Every structure is written in structure tokens, then in C-alpha cells.
Amino acid sequence: MNYSGGFLQNMYVNLLKARMLEEKIVELYHQGRVPGSVHSGVGEEATFVGGCLALNEDDYMMTTHRAVCANWTKGIEINKIFCDLFGKKEGTNCGKGAAIRICSEKVLGMSGTQGGVFVIATGAALSLKLLNKKSVVLAFFGDNTSNRGTFHESLNIASLWKLPVIFLCDNNQYGISINIKDSTSVENIADRGVAYNIPTKIVDGNSILAVYEATKEAVNHAKSGNGPYLIEAKTYRFRGHMEGDQRSYRTREEESQWMEKCPLRRFENKLLEQGVITDTWIVTEKNKIEKEIENAISFAENSIDPGKEDLFKDIYA
Amino acid sequence: MRKITFAQALNEALHEEMMRDEKVFIYGQDVAVVGGLWKVTTGLLDKFGPDRVKDTPLSEAAMAGMAVGAAITGTRPIVEIMFADFLAVCFDEVYNKAAKWRYVHGGMFEVPLVIRSSMGATFGGSAEHAQCNEALFMHTPGIKIVLPSTPYDAKGLLKTAIRDNNPVLFFEHRALYNTKGEVPEEEYTIPFGKAEIKKQGEDITVVATSRMVSRSLSAAEDLKKEGINIEVIDPKTIVPLDIEAINQSVKKTGHLVIVEEGNRTGGVGAEITALVQENVFDFLKKPILRISSLDVPIPFNDNLKNMVIPSTTKIVEEIKTLIKK
């Protein structure tokens, strides 16, 4: 497909923002400034950003614990993202749900038990269908999460009722320490689609354009009333399951092979070759993003903690 | 006034609320074409069509979890989980998702859903088709729990449940479905968190829920012959719980008995006992008595089952023993 220079630049900026955000969170964690665990999504940003960019503003999204960056792509203010990371009152969840539960009207939040995403996203899609809304729900999930029963129950119902939901697997090869070969009976998560009569596509998860195009196709499919779609994006988790994980279960050689396929560098080189962007432009953009992130950190670190008045608030509506 | 069954009363509530609000819809196993195993959803498919009345596959986790997803995006789902025992299959979706989604997302979402479930030890049921497990959920902040005991209450409480903007677990005792009671033709709802004194009395406060309300009322007649005049209170909802009504009654009688069909340990009675001793300890003349099912899985054989579930006779005997102590 042919894309305009402006489109590609915007896509690059989103990818760069995602990388810089994910890296900054890691840095803050090691400085002792994050009051919780960090499950870094460094290396997997093309999957999340490519997926989110294929959505319209009125489409819904659910990310995983792996990708805080997806929330930024989907339009949540960076100030709020850092407030949630630090558990501050001014975040989207008032210090109650951590960075994994950043939310908005269109970002439906996250299930702390893996696999909750399937049922919630399918239910949201049912709601959209009943309300005759022309929107879709994009649900990210990890490879090992497809082994939960909720995956199978949800894909069956979503297909049976032709619900507008896209299941996008962030296959980063690992569920904590377990390689997909040791957790999953099929080679590809997408192989499971056939059991539920759902169309599937396997894409290079480190190619933002490939993920974007596959998701666009799935969105069109779902919006035309044809039901759900299963996309598998094959990528790699550059860091451990969480910061502090020593990665004893895999080799450094394996890691460096994947790092050769860094989604940001690949896209950057491509655009540089095509003359869509220049080195100077990149530096300018990086500086802008860096400033935006630093301002947001400063805002969040200086904002207040939730207090007694918030403790019992919102248990019930 | 006309008399209709508990199941008919529930059915009317569903018809009326689905007519009133087109965002309300219902799904569950066998609820559409056959109108539910308990005949509570009869006629809904014909009236509201297959988009709003749906039979589901055997997928309780999806059914309960999807209700959360639907509720946070603008519709008002009602789910029928055929047996309350099967709530164990979707426990994560009820306990972690429905109950907590609003709180952990800082109030971003409302979660207006109702899970209706049948419960109780009735003919032929055993361990996984007979339990009254409401106490499991009473322990969970974020869910409201309804236990209707009459057709009138069933209808009014279900209408309130459907209009509530929170997750509601609505437990329907199977032994009550065919019981008849007065239900007016006119529109009404019944508020949550407001207990009703089903029978006035001065000697002993008896708090009972669901089927145990009618058994306690029968016990009251037998006890009256012995000169014991009990007061029977039905909280109707155990979350929110009208503890004030119970406190007031205990202040008057000085005695508290809780009758529930769930088993004893960690039960609803245990919680009410704790609250009452915290609130009105000085008014109690004797220890609080819990009459409940025994702490065993519910057996199939009737001889065994009758030893487990509180009967009217057992309620009478235990209260008489309490008085004599």
C-alpha cells in the first residue's frame, strides 16, 4: 500500500513515543521511583502501536500488562499515564489500579487475571452490536493467555454471534519464563482460529505496517458485520517478564538475534531510505518527546496521593 | 388481590423492565426458546426478539464476564446462571471482574448487570446442584446480593436489581418458584437494604432469608402454641444489609436467631452474629443462635439431606432449647 509522508511520519512518531515511554518506565523503576512492578514492553511496540493506529477514535481497546504505551497511542494524556504509574489521584484510576489499569471511556481497562480480557472484550462487542454502534473492540493478549478457557469460550461466542471484536495476539514467545513451545500445543496461536470459524492472519509483529494493515483489514471485516478476527503478531520480549527477572530460561544469543529485528530501528531505516524522514528531524522529534515525558513525570511526581476520601469511593456506583 | 407464582412474578418483572428500557437484555443457557428451565423467561423471546433474548453455549465464564464488558459499554445485561453452584465456574468473572471493575478503574465505569441464579436443596439435587452459596459473595465488596422469599418481593426486588447501576447477584430458591402469593397488577419496586418484619413478636428475633423465611413463619405458629412469640425479619438483601432493623429488634427481644440454608461456617449468620454483638451486645440476654445447613457437601439421599437442611421442626426445637437454657 502507498502511504503519504505525513502518515508515515505520524506512525513513526507514535512508535518512537512508545519506545521512549517504555524505556523511561524501566529507567524510573531502577531509580526506585515506581511503586510497583514493571512489565516492560520494549521490543513489542510495533504490535501495540500498529494495532491502535488502525482504530478510529470511537473504537474500543484493551491492552495487556505489557504495554503501557498502547494507552498513549489510543489518546490518553501522558500526564495521566504517569500519575497511574505512580498511583496518584490525578490518574485515570485514582491510584487504585496501577499502570496496568489505565482507562478511558474507550480504553476499557485490564483484567488482573490473565484471560479476563477475552470475556470483557466480547461482552463489549455484544453491547456495541445491540446499540447498533459502528465501532469495534480491539483486544490485545499474550501467547500463553490463549491457553485460558476464557479464550475458547469467547472466540466461540464471538464467532457464533458475529461480534465486532478483534483478538490481537502479542506473541512475544514467553509467558513469564515458559517458552511458547512448552506451553502451547500448536505452533501458531492463529491456528486456533479455525476451531471457531474465525479468520486469522499471522504477521511480523516487529513490522508496524504489517500489524497496522492486518488490523485495518480486521476492523473492516468486523465493521461490515462479518464478526471477529484473530491476528497473531510474532514479536519478542526484549526484557524479562518483569524488571529484576534475570532471564535464566533463555540465551543471550537468542535475545541478540531478535534485537537485530528491532521494530523501531527497522521502521526508522526504512523511512530514512525512502527520504520520508531525516536524522535532523528525528533528533527534533526525540527532543520534543523527551520534554513531554519529563514534564509529565514532573507533573505526576508532584501531584497528590489519593486520600481517605477516595478509599471507599467507587466500590459502588 | 390476584395471586401468582414466584416464577410468574419474576417473569413479569423481566417483561416490564425490558419493555421500559431497551438497553436491558437477557441471555443464558436455555432461556430463549424454552423460556428457561425454571420458566422464568417464558415469552421474552417472542416479545423482544433474538437480539435481546439469547440462548448461550455452555460457557459460564464467558457469560458472566461478557456481562461486565456489556455493562461498561452502555447496555444492561441480565444473565441466568442455571444453578448457583455453577457460579463457581465463573467465580473469577464475578469475584474479580464484576465486583472490582469500577473500583480498580477509579470509577471510570458503571457495571449495571444482574446475575440471576437458582439455588437450594430440592428434589434430586446433590452437592453441585443444591447449594446456597450467597455467603461466598457476601465476603466480596462490590456486589449486591438479593434473596427474595415471596412472589411479591421477587418481582419488586428484581425490578430494582435491573435498575441498579451495580452488579447484583439475584438468588432464586427453586423450592419457591411454584409458591403463590399476592402480587398487585400495579407497578412497584422494593428498595435494597430495607428489611421487612414478616411477623411481629416480642420474645425472640429471628432473621431468616429466602426459603427459610416461610419455614421460620411456620415455626412461629408452632412456637406460639408453646407461648413463644418470635419476630421474623427478612433482610431481603444481605448486601446492603439492614443491620439497623435487626439491632432494633434485638434491643426489644434480647434474643437473636439466624436461620439460613447456606452452611454454617463463615456463613451469613456468622456475619450477622458478629455485627449484632458489636452493635447491641449489652441487650443480648443469651448467646446468639445460628440455625443453618451443616458443614457437609449436600448428599443425594433424602434421609441424609434432611439431616443437613434446617426444617421447620428443627427451627422449633432449637428455639425451644435456647429458651430453656
Side-chain angles (χ1 to χ4, degrees), chain A residues 92-93 96-97 101 103-104 108-111 113 119-120 123-124 127 130-131 150 153 161 311 313-317, chain B residues 25 51 54-55 59 61-62 66 69-70 73 75 92-93 97 101-109 142-143 166 239:
Chain A
T92 66
N93 60 47
K96 291 166 179 171
R101 295 194 185 84
C103 56
S104 68
L108 296 175
M110 207 196 92
S111 164
T113 54
V119 292
I120 305 272
S127 206
L130 280 169
L131 297 170
T150 49
E153 291 191 10
W161 293 351
L311 186 59
K313 201 176 155 217
D314 295 324
I315 297 174
Y316 295 97
Chain B
F25 69 106
D51 285 344
K54 300 178 93 65
D55 282 321
S59 301
M66 284 172 65
T73 48
T75 49
D92 179 48
E93 286 69 27
K97 308 296 164 269
W101 207 263
R102 177 176 175 78
Y103 188 81
V104 296
H105 293 99
M108 183 68 71
F109 308 104
I143 305 178
N166 295 285
V239 181

Side-chain angles (χ1 to χ4, degrees), chain A residues 80-304:
Chain A
K80 289 198 174 284
I81 289 174
F82 277 103
C83 282
D84 283 331
L85 182 72
F86 299 144
K88 299 291 189 161
K89 183 168 174 152
E90 291 302 310
T92 66
N93 60 47
C94 192
K96 291 166 179 171
I100 59 167
R101 295 194 185 84
I102 294 169
C103 56
S104 68
E105 198 203 326
K106 297 289 187 260
V107 176
L108 296 175
M110 207 196 92
S111 164
T113 54
Q114 295 300 310
V117 62
F118 303 116
V119 292
I120 305 272
T122 302
L126 175 60
S127 206
L128 299 182
K129 193 172 180 185
L130 280 169
L131 297 170
N132 272 319
K133 285 193 184 170
K134 287 281 167 229
S135 310
V136 298
V137 185
L138 173 64
F140 289 102
F141 65 100
D143 40 283
N144 204 4
T145 308
S146 75
N147 294 316
R148 276 292 316 280
T150 49
F151 174 81
H152 303 273
E153 291 191 10
S154 301
L155 266 68
N156 179 57
I157 291 181
S159 177
L160 186 71
W161 293 351
K162 292 206 180 313
L163 302 179
V165 54
I166 296 152
F167 302 103
L168 203 169
C169 179
D170 164 50
N171 179 356
N172 65 15
Q173 321 290 326
Y174 287 90
I176 305 188
S177 68
I178 308 298
N179 186 275
I180 183 168
K181 290 189 188 74
D182 300 317
S183 69
T184 304
S185 62
V186 286
E187 192 185 340
N188 307 298
I189 303 303
D191 295 347
R192 290 179 159 163
V194 68
Y196 306 103
N197 196 21
I198 291 181
T200 61
K201 187 155 215 167
I202 298 173
V203 294
D204 177 352
N206 285 8
S207 164
I208 189 165
L209 278 171
V211 178
Y212 172 81
E213 284 168 8
T215 314
K216 265 282 176 210
E217 188 185 322
V219 168
N220 291 337
H221 175 89
K223 284 189 179 173
S224 310
N226 297 319
Y229 208 103
L230 172 62
I231 301 169
E232 177 179 5
K234 291 196 191 280
T235 179
Y236 193 77
R237 196 183 70 202
F238 280 14
R239 304 193 63 83
H241 165 66
M242 55 201 278
E243 288 310 299
D245 173 357
Q246 300 301 309
R247 292 133 42 235
S248 60
Y249 43 83
R250 67 189 194 190
T251 64
R252 299 299 86 92
E253 289 72 34
E254 180 189 291
E255 291 178 353
S256 54
Q257 276 169 20
W258 272 97
M259 285 178 191
E260 289 297 307
K261 302 178 204 165
C262 169
L264 178 67
R265 213 164 51 234
R266 275 173 58 183
F267 194 51
E268 191 173 285
N269 289 339
K270 188 176 168 164
L271 297 190
L272 282 168
E273 271 172 38
Q274 292 175 356
V276 174
I277 58 175
T278 63
D279 286 322
T280 334
W281 183 84
I282 293 172
V283 172
T284 315
E285 290 305 314
K286 269 189 183 164
N287 289 340
K288 272 199 271 182
I289 298 167
E290 181 70 28
K291 205 171 164 192
E292 203 177 350
I293 287 176
E294 288 306 329
N295 287 343
I297 293 169
S298 167
F299 173 87
E301 285 190 327
N302 290 310
S303 71
I304 56 168

Side-chain angles (χ1 to χ4, degrees), chain B residues 68-312:
Chain B
V68 178
I72 64 173
T73 48
T75 49
R76 307 181 76 86
I78 304 167
V79 189
E80 179 173 312
I81 299 289
M82 201 179 278
F83 286 79
D85 314 71
F86 304 171
L87 288 168
V89 184
C90 50
F91 195 77
D92 179 48
E93 286 69 27
V94 178
Y95 177 75
N96 282 322
K97 308 296 164 269
K100 299 177 177 66
W101 207 263
R102 177 176 175 78
Y103 188 81
V104 296
H105 293 99
M108 183 68 71
F109 308 104
E110 285 182 348
V111 192
L113 65 89
V114 180
I115 295 176
R116 295 177 36 245
S117 209
S118 83
M119 69 174 199
T122 49
F123 179 77
S126 62
E128 292 161 283
H129 294 80
Q131 297 167 89
C132 290
N133 52 15
E134 65 274 17
L136 288 177
F137 301 96
M138 193 185 191
H139 190 63
T140 310
I143 305 178
K144 296 186 179 181
I145 302 173
V146 189
L147 293 162
S149 65
T150 66
Y152 178 85
D153 288 352
K155 182 174 178 183
L157 289 166
L158 184 55
K159 285 168 74 81
T160 302
I162 295 167
R163 295 180 194 189
D164 199 287
N165 286 330
N166 295 285
V168 179
L169 275 178
F170 195 94
F171 289 105
E172 303 162 3
H173 200 294
R174 275 186 300 284
L176 297 178
Y177 279 134
N178 286 323
T179 59
K180 279 194 165 184
E182 288 188 344
V183 176
E185 310 260 0
E186 303 79 50
E187 163 93 24
Y188 68 97
T189 58
I190 297 175
F192 286 180
K194 196 151 172 36
E196 183 187 346
I197 298 172
K198 294 282 184 183
K199 181 200 162 292
Q200 299 264 0
E202 296 77 40
D203 299 332
I204 292 176
T205 300
V206 174
V207 175
T209 53
S210 191
R211 167 162 72 168
M212 291 301 137
V213 174
S214 59
R215 288 197 176 174
S216 298
L217 290 170
S218 302
E221 286 174 26
D222 292 352
L223 288 163
K224 205 166 185 182
K225 292 172 199 153
E226 313 270 337
I228 304 165
N229 192 9
I230 66 170
E231 177 149 295
V232 179
I233 298 183
D234 178 357
K236 299 185 186 187
T237 58
I238 55 168
V239 181
L241 177 68
D242 187 357
I243 192 64
E244 203 39 49
I246 299 169
N247 289 340
Q248 288 309 320
S249 178
V250 170
K251 280 186 182 174
K252 179 174 73 177
T253 65
H255 294 91
L256 176 63
V257 177
I258 303 128
V259 192
E260 65 178 311
E261 191 169 322
N263 63 301
R264 185 179 173 87
T265 301
V268 176
E271 181 57 30
I272 294 175
T273 299
L275 287 169
V276 166
Q277 67 82 23
E278 283 167 6
N279 296 337
V280 289
F281 182 79
D282 292 342
F283 292 85
L284 287 166
K285 294 172 189 159
K286 286 198 174 152
I288 296 168
L289 173 66
R290 285 179 287 160
I291 303 173
S292 67
S293 285
L294 306 179
D295 284 328
V296 295
I298 296 170
F300 173 69
N301 175 280
D302 274 345
N303 189 35
L304 293 177
K305 198 187 298 181
N306 291 337
M307 294 180 209
V308 175
I309 312 299
S311 61
T312 299

